[in-house]
């Protein structure tokens, strides 16, 4: 699975959009981009995933560049409860299901 | 209803003891996993079972033995506990790999402290 690079930390004002970047320049054509988050002391939580097209669900939007070498997770209206570590993971759909977590981005939402 | 549950939530024990952590999921998933999160917060997969069959076995000491009595349960037994085993252990479940999108759902974690 391709490696990902994320900034170690980011701040965001409450109510504003949080844009979390991820670089995955070695991504292969059959690898999906997944985002998870871990709120302090809780288990990781699935957010969203995508292959080529941009995706949106009730939690967030995922924007994948045309060359697929990077992506951005967007939390449209961040709240204090969105403070967490956000992990960007790339994975082949047909593999064993193993998730390789990096260091992620610690997002601090401030009032 | 809790989707993925683990017991116990906290476990404090002495070196050399044997302990088990239990995991149950009510999502109807075929695949279950154990992850370990160490003190530096790195999350790493340990094992995965698909339909009671072991499919992932990372480089884990053989003191760790997973057991899956059925698709809904995956227990982790640890023999001869060592100080370095202190960590938070997360159980997760998903649909079988290769069946399309198979996001993983995680349990709340078991914090193991070995003294």
């Amino acid at each position: 699975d391709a490696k990902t690079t994320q900034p170690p930390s980011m701040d965001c004002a409450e109510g504003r959009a949080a844009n979390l970047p991820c670089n995955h320049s070695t991504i292969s054509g059959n690898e999906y981009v997944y985002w998870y988050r871990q709120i302090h002391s809780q288990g990781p939580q699935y957010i969203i995933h995508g292959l080529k097209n941009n995706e949106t669900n009730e939690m967030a939007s995922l924007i994948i560049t045309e060359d697929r070498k990077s992506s951005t997770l967007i939390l449209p209206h961040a709240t204090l409860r969105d403070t967490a570590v956000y992990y960007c993971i790339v994975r082949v759909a047909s593999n064993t299901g193993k998730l390789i977590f990096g260091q992620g981005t610690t997002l601090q939402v401030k009032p | 209803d809790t989707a993925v549950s683990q017991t116990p939530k906290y476990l404090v024990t002495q070196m050399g003891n044997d302990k088990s952590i239990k995991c149950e999921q009510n999502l109807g998933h075929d695949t279950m996993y154990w992850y370990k999160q160490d003190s530096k917060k790195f999350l790493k997969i340990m094992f995965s079972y698909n339909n009671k069959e072991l499919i992932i076995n990372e480089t884990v000491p053989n003191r760790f033995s997973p057991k899956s009595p059925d698709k809904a349960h995956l227990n982790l037994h640890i023999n001869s506990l060592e100080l370095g085993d202190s960590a938070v252990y997360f159980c997760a479940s998903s649909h079988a790999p290769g069946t399309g999108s198979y996001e993983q759902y995680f349990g709340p974690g078991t914090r193991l402290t070995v003294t």
Side-chain angles (χ1 to χ4, degrees):
Chain A
D1 295 332
K3 291 186 178 178
T4 62
T5 304
Q6 300 177 251
S9 63
M10 293 182 63
D11 290 343
C12 177
E14 189 178 18
R16 304 297 292 267
N19 297 289
L20 292 95
C22 179
N23 285 322
H24 30 79
S25 58
T26 61
I27 193 170
S28 300
N30 61 349
E31 287 185 312
Y32 286 73
V33 180
Y34 280 77
W35 282 84
Y36 284 77
R37 73 179 182 184
Q38 186 174 23
I39 297 172
H40 180 62
S41 298
Q42 298 182 20
Q45 177 188 24
Y46 165 80
I47 301 173
I48 199 168
H49 75 281
L51 183 63
K52 296 180 181 179
N53 300 322
N54 298 336
E55 303 287 345
T56 295
N57 63 20
E58 65 277 4
M59 289 183 67
S61 294
L62 174 61
I63 308 298
I64 302 174
T65 58
E66 194 168 343
D67 63 8
R68 302 187 69 239
K69 292 185 177 182
S70 66
S71 60
T72 301
L73 178 74
I74 301 173
L75 307 178
H77 305 289
T79 71
L80 299 178
R81 289 179 295 181
D82 292 321
T83 293
V85 179
Y86 288 77
Y87 298 98
C88 169
I89 301 167
V90 295
R91 187 177 72 176
V92 176
S94 59
N95 78 355
T96 56
K98 179 169 68 174
L99 289 176
I100 301 176
F101 287 84
Q103 288 188 306
T105 296
T106 299
L107 175 68
Q108 182 73 47
V109 180
K110 298 185 174 182
Chain B
D1 288 341
T2 303
V4 182
S5 60
Q6 296 178 227
T7 54
K9 188 169 176 60
Y10 300 96
L11 183 54
V12 181
T13 188
Q14 291 183 329
M15 287 175 56
N17 285 347
D18 303 339
K19 292 294 180 185
S20 292
I21 306 171
K22 296 185 176 181
C23 178
E24 176 181 3
Q25 55 94 5
N26 62 5
L27 297 168
H29 289 158
D30 300 303
T31 307
M32 298 185 71
Y33 312 80
W34 277 111
Y35 288 82
K36 177 182 180 181
Q37 187 166 39
D38 60 24
S39 58
K40 294 184 179 179
K41 303 297 185 183
F42 285 111
L43 258 170
K44 188 173 181 182
I45 191 163
M46 301 172 68
F47 301 103
S48 173
Y49 270 75
N50 183 38
N51 274 326
K52 302 195 297 177
E53 179 184 349
L54 183 66
I55 58 172
I56 296 176
N57 186 351
E58 294 292 297
T59 309
V60 177
N62 56 16
R63 297 182 294 102
F64 290 78
S65 54
K67 290 203 170 38
S68 181
D70 56 56
K71 286 195 317 181
H73 297 84
L74 180 61
N75 303 324
L76 183 64
H77 188 77
I78 315 171
N79 290 326
S80 303
L81 278 156
E82 300 177 357
L83 292 176
D85 298 332
S86 295
V88 181
Y89 293 85
F90 289 101
C91 176
S93 72
S94 73
H95 291 297
T99 57
S101 62
Y102 49 106
E103 56 266 27
Q104 294 182 18
Y105 293 83
F106 286 77
T110 295
R111 182 174 294 275
L112 172 64
T113 302
V114 182
T115 62

